[in-house]
mmCIF file of all heavy atoms in Angstrom:
data_model
loop_
_atom_site.group_PDB
_atom_site.id
_atom_site.type_symbol
_atom_site.label_atom_id
_atom_site.label_comp_id
_atom_site.label_asym_id
_atom_site.label_seq_id
_atom_site.Cartn_x
_atom_site.Cartn_y
_atom_site.Cartn_z
ATOM 1 N N PRO O 208 69.586 160.000 157.806
ATOM 2 C CA PRO O 208 70.475 160.190 158.956
ATOM 3 C C PRO O 208 71.961 160.118 158.632
ATOM 4 O O PRO O 208 72.750 160.847 159.213
ATOM 5 C CB PRO O 208 70.045 159.080 159.915
ATOM 6 C CG PRO O 208 69.312 158.087 159.093
ATOM 7 C CD PRO O 208 68.735 158.812 157.947
ATOM 8 N N GLU O 209 72.339 159.227 157.739
ATOM 9 C CA GLU O 209 73.759 159.072 157.449
ATOM 10 C C GLU O 209 73.937 158.578 156.022
ATOM 11 O O GLU O 209 72.979 158.181 155.356
ATOM 12 C CB GLU O 209 74.374 158.025 158.411
ATOM 13 C CG GLU O 209 74.295 158.401 159.875
ATOM 14 C CD GLU O 209 74.756 157.260 160.767
ATOM 15 O OE1 GLU O 209 75.688 156.516 160.385
ATOM 16 O OE2 GLU O 209 74.179 157.091 161.854
ATOM 17 N N ASP O 210 75.194 158.576 155.592
ATOM 18 C CA ASP O 210 75.488 158.072 154.249
ATOM 19 C C ASP O 210 75.199 156.590 154.101
ATOM 20 O O ASP O 210 75.154 156.076 152.979
ATOM 21 C CB ASP O 210 76.962 158.335 153.894
ATOM 22 C CG ASP O 210 77.226 159.814 153.707
ATOM 23 O OD1 ASP O 210 76.247 160.579 153.568
ATOM 24 O OD2 ASP O 210 78.400 160.212 153.724
ATOM 25 N N ARG O 211 75.008 155.913 155.206
ATOM 26 C CA ARG O 211 74.678 154.482 155.134
ATOM 27 C C ARG O 211 73.284 154.279 154.538
ATOM 28 O O ARG O 211 72.951 153.196 154.107
ATOM 29 C CB ARG O 211 74.725 153.856 156.527
ATOM 30 C CG ARG O 211 76.097 153.892 157.191
ATOM 31 C CD ARG O 211 76.087 153.186 158.538
ATOM 32 N NE ARG O 211 75.212 153.824 159.510
ATOM 33 C CZ ARG O 211 74.033 153.337 159.904
ATOM 34 N NH1 ARG O 211 73.581 152.209 159.406
ATOM 35 N NH2 ARG O 211 73.320 153.989 160.800
ATOM 36 N N PHE O 212 72.506 155.344 154.543
ATOM 37 C CA PHE O 212 71.140 155.271 154.020
ATOM 38 C C PHE O 212 71.104 155.820 152.597
ATOM 39 O O PHE O 212 71.674 156.880 152.319
ATOM 40 C CB PHE O 212 70.186 156.113 154.882
ATOM 41 C CG PHE O 212 69.855 155.506 156.216
ATOM 42 C CD1 PHE O 212 70.800 155.425 157.227
ATOM 43 C CD2 PHE O 212 68.571 155.031 156.472
ATOM 44 C CE1 PHE O 212 70.494 154.859 158.454
ATOM 45 C CE2 PHE O 212 68.246 154.486 157.709
ATOM 46 C CZ PHE O 212 69.212 154.395 158.693
ATOM 47 N N SER O 213 70.417 155.102 151.724
ATOM 48 C CA SER O 213 70.220 155.598 150.363
ATOM 49 C C SER O 213 68.847 155.163 149.879
ATOM 50 O O SER O 213 68.311 154.148 150.322
ATOM 51 C CB SER O 213 71.308 155.072 149.423
ATOM 52 O OG SER O 213 71.250 153.656 149.332
ATOM 53 N N ALA O 214 68.266 155.950 148.999
ATOM 54 C CA ALA O 214 66.938 155.634 148.457
ATOM 55 C C ALA O 214 66.930 155.895 146.966
ATOM 56 O O ALA O 214 67.597 156.812 146.479
ATOM 57 C CB ALA O 214 65.860 156.467 149.141
ATOM 58 N N LYS O 215 66.168 155.065 146.270
ATOM 59 C CA LYS O 215 66.044 155.205 144.828
ATOM 60 C C LYS O 215 64.588 155.063 144.418
ATOM 61 O O LYS O 215 63.792 154.411 145.108
ATOM 62 C CB LYS O 215 66.885 154.137 144.104
ATOM 63 C CG LYS O 215 68.371 154.279 144.289
ATOM 64 C CD LYS O 215 69.123 153.208 143.498
ATOM 65 C CE LYS O 215 70.623 153.339 143.669
ATOM 66 N NZ LYS O 215 71.367 152.299 142.930
ATOM 67 N N MET O 216 64.273 155.648 143.295
ATOM 68 C CA MET O 216 62.948 155.457 142.708
ATOM 69 C C MET O 216 63.142 155.332 141.206
ATOM 70 O O MET O 216 63.073 156.325 140.466
ATOM 71 C CB MET O 216 62.019 156.618 143.059
ATOM 72 C CG MET O 216 60.583 156.318 142.724
ATOM 73 S SD MET O 216 59.449 157.467 143.508
ATOM 74 C CE MET O 216 57.884 156.720 143.019
ATOM 75 N N PRO O 217 63.439 154.140 140.730
ATOM 76 C CA PRO O 217 63.766 153.946 139.316
ATOM 77 C C PRO O 217 62.579 154.167 138.382
ATOM 78 O O PRO O 217 62.785 154.488 137.198
ATOM 79 C CB PRO O 217 64.231 152.485 139.264
ATOM 80 C CG PRO O 217 63.644 151.838 140.468
ATOM 81 C CD PRO O 217 63.548 152.908 141.516
ATOM 82 N N ASN O 218 61.361 154.019 138.913
ATOM 83 C CA ASN O 218 60.181 154.297 138.103
ATOM 84 C C ASN O 218 59.019 154.678 139.010
ATOM 85 O O ASN O 218 59.155 154.659 140.244
ATOM 86 C CB ASN O 218 59.822 153.084 137.226
ATOM 87 C CG ASN O 218 59.602 151.834 138.039
ATOM 88 O OD1 ASN O 218 58.695 151.774 138.871
ATOM 89 N ND2 ASN O 218 60.447 150.822 137.825
ATOM 90 N N ALA O 219 57.908 155.030 138.410
ATOM 91 C CA ALA O 219 56.775 155.569 139.178
ATOM 92 C C ALA O 219 56.114 154.537 140.081
ATOM 93 O O ALA O 219 55.292 154.896 140.920
ATOM 94 C CB ALA O 219 55.737 156.148 138.211
ATOM 95 N N SER O 220 56.448 153.275 139.923
ATOM 96 C CA SER O 220 55.744 152.254 140.692
ATOM 97 C C SER O 220 56.634 151.512 141.680
ATOM 98 O O SER O 220 56.234 150.495 142.247
ATOM 99 C CB SER O 220 55.088 151.241 139.741
ATOM 100 O OG SER O 220 56.066 150.635 138.930
ATOM 101 N N PHE O 221 57.838 152.030 141.941
ATOM 102 C CA PHE O 221 58.733 151.278 142.809
ATOM 103 C C PHE O 221 59.792 152.191 143.426
ATOM 104 O O PHE O 221 60.375 153.046 142.753
ATOM 105 C CB PHE O 221 59.414 150.165 142.001
ATOM 106 C CG PHE O 221 60.287 149.254 142.812
ATOM 107 C CD1 PHE O 221 59.750 148.441 143.786
ATOM 108 C CD2 PHE O 221 61.664 149.211 142.594
ATOM 109 C CE1 PHE O 221 60.542 147.587 144.533
ATOM 110 C CE2 PHE O 221 62.476 148.365 143.339
ATOM 111 C CZ PHE O 221 61.908 147.553 144.299
ATOM 112 N N SER O 222 60.025 151.958 144.716
ATOM 113 C CA SER O 222 61.094 152.679 145.400
ATOM 114 C C SER O 222 61.753 151.750 146.408
ATOM 115 O O SER O 222 61.121 150.832 146.933
ATOM 116 C CB SER O 222 60.548 153.910 146.124
ATOM 117 O OG SER O 222 61.578 154.575 146.853
ATOM 118 N N THR O 223 63.034 151.997 146.657
ATOM 119 C CA THR O 223 63.763 151.222 147.667
ATOM 120 C C THR O 223 64.466 152.154 148.630
ATOM 121 O O THR O 223 64.876 153.261 148.270
ATOM 122 C CB THR O 223 64.820 150.304 147.027
ATOM 123 O OG1 THR O 223 65.741 151.104 146.274
ATOM 124 C CG2 THR O 223 64.188 149.268 146.125
ATOM 125 N N LEU O 224 64.577 151.689 149.856
ATOM 126 C CA LEU O 224 65.385 152.354 150.884
ATOM 127 C C LEU O 224 66.409 151.323 151.349
ATOM 128 O O LEU O 224 66.040 150.247 151.799
ATOM 129 C CB LEU O 224 64.517 152.809 152.056
ATOM 130 C CG LEU O 224 65.239 153.464 153.227
ATOM 131 C CD1 LEU O 224 65.840 154.805 152.806
ATOM 132 C CD2 LEU O 224 64.296 153.669 154.410
ATOM 133 N N LYS O 225 67.681 151.675 151.196
ATOM 134 C CA LYS O 225 68.741 150.729 151.503
ATOM 135 C C LYS O 225 69.587 151.239 152.653
ATOM 136 O O LYS O 225 69.901 152.443 152.735
ATOM 137 C CB LYS O 225 69.610 150.503 150.262
ATOM 138 C CG LYS O 225 70.682 149.439 150.409
ATOM 139 C CD LYS O 225 71.454 149.248 149.107
ATOM 140 C CE LYS O 225 70.603 148.656 148.021
ATOM 141 N NZ LYS O 225 71.388 148.328 146.797
ATOM 142 N N ILE O 226 69.957 150.335 153.527
ATOM 143 C CA ILE O 226 70.847 150.670 154.638
ATOM 144 C C ILE O 226 72.044 149.726 154.536
ATOM 145 O O ILE O 226 71.900 148.506 154.564
ATOM 146 C CB ILE O 226 70.174 150.483 156.012
ATOM 147 C CG1 ILE O 226 68.839 151.224 156.063
ATOM 148 C CG2 ILE O 226 71.099 151.000 157.120
ATOM 149 C CD1 ILE O 226 68.022 150.946 157.327
ATOM 150 N N GLN O 227 73.226 150.292 154.387
ATOM 151 C CA GLN O 227 74.428 149.491 154.232
ATOM 152 C C GLN O 227 75.637 150.232 154.794
ATOM 153 O O GLN O 227 76.006 151.286 154.268
ATOM 154 C CB GLN O 227 74.656 149.159 152.750
ATOM 155 C CG GLN O 227 76.038 148.643 152.369
ATOM 156 C CD GLN O 227 76.389 147.303 152.996
ATOM 157 O OE1 GLN O 227 75.512 146.590 153.490
ATOM 158 N NE2 GLN O 227 77.662 146.959 152.995
ATOM 159 N N PRO O 228 76.285 149.728 155.841
ATOM 160 C CA PRO O 228 75.905 148.572 156.637
ATOM 161 C C PRO O 228 74.876 148.949 157.710
ATOM 162 O O PRO O 228 74.833 150.086 158.165
ATOM 163 C CB PRO O 228 77.231 148.179 157.301
ATOM 164 C CG PRO O 228 77.941 149.486 157.470
ATOM 165 C CD PRO O 228 77.540 150.330 156.284
ATOM 166 N N SER O 229 74.053 148.010 158.099
ATOM 167 C CA SER O 229 73.035 148.291 159.103
ATOM 168 C C SER O 229 73.642 148.248 160.506
ATOM 169 O O SER O 229 74.648 147.567 160.748
ATOM 170 C CB SER O 229 71.885 147.282 158.990
ATOM 171 O OG SER O 229 72.366 145.958 159.139
ATOM 172 N N GLU O 230 73.028 149.004 161.428
ATOM 173 C CA GLU O 230 73.465 149.074 162.812
ATOM 174 C C GLU O 230 72.235 148.899 163.716
ATOM 175 O O GLU O 230 71.113 149.202 163.286
ATOM 176 C CB GLU O 230 74.144 150.413 163.103
ATOM 177 C CG GLU O 230 75.424 150.635 162.316
ATOM 178 C CD GLU O 230 76.100 151.946 162.670
ATOM 179 O OE1 GLU O 230 75.604 152.650 163.574
ATOM 180 O OE2 GLU O 230 77.137 152.261 162.043
ATOM 181 N N PRO O 231 72.454 148.448 164.965
ATOM 182 C CA PRO O 231 71.309 148.254 165.874
ATOM 183 C C PRO O 231 70.434 149.495 166.034
ATOM 184 O O PRO O 231 69.214 149.385 166.172
ATOM 185 C CB PRO O 231 71.988 147.846 167.186
ATOM 186 C CG PRO O 231 73.234 147.150 166.753
ATOM 187 C CD PRO O 231 73.710 147.922 165.539
ATOM 188 N N ARG O 232 71.034 150.689 165.999
ATOM 189 C CA ARG O 232 70.251 151.910 166.184
ATOM 190 C C ARG O 232 69.355 152.221 164.993
ATOM 191 O O ARG O 232 68.549 153.159 165.046
ATOM 192 C CB ARG O 232 71.161 153.109 166.453
ATOM 193 C CG ARG O 232 72.162 153.416 165.355
ATOM 194 C CD ARG O 232 73.199 154.387 165.873
ATOM 195 N NE ARG O 232 74.349 154.472 164.982
ATOM 196 C CZ ARG O 232 74.747 155.597 164.423
ATOM 197 N NH1 ARG O 232 74.102 156.715 164.655
ATOM 198 N NH2 ARG O 232 75.806 155.616 163.645
ATOM 199 N N ASP O 233 69.480 151.457 163.917
ATOM 200 C CA ASP O 233 68.585 151.621 162.770
ATOM 201 C C ASP O 233 67.263 150.892 162.993
ATOM 202 O O ASP O 233 66.329 151.034 162.189
ATOM 203 C CB ASP O 233 69.235 151.076 161.496
ATOM 204 C CG ASP O 233 70.554 151.763 161.169
ATOM 205 O OD1 ASP O 233 70.711 152.953 161.536
ATOM 206 O OD2 ASP O 233 71.427 151.113 160.561
ATOM 207 N N SER O 234 67.179 150.121 164.061
ATOM 208 C CA SER O 234 65.944 149.383 164.357
ATOM 209 C C SER O 234 64.796 150.362 164.542
ATOM 210 O O SER O 234 64.867 151.288 165.362
ATOM 211 C CB SER O 234 66.128 148.535 165.620
ATOM 212 O OG SER O 234 67.143 147.567 165.427
#
Side-chain angles (χ1 to χ4, degrees):
Chain O
E209 298 173 35
D210 291 345
R211 297 183 297 106
F212 286 70
S213 63
K215 294 182 180 179
M216 192 165 185
N218 57 62
S220 59
F221 184 65
S222 177
T223 59
L224 177 67
K225 185 178 293 186
I226 308 173
Q227 165 64 16
S229 58
E230 296 182 3
R232 60 193 166 122
D233 301 331
S234 298

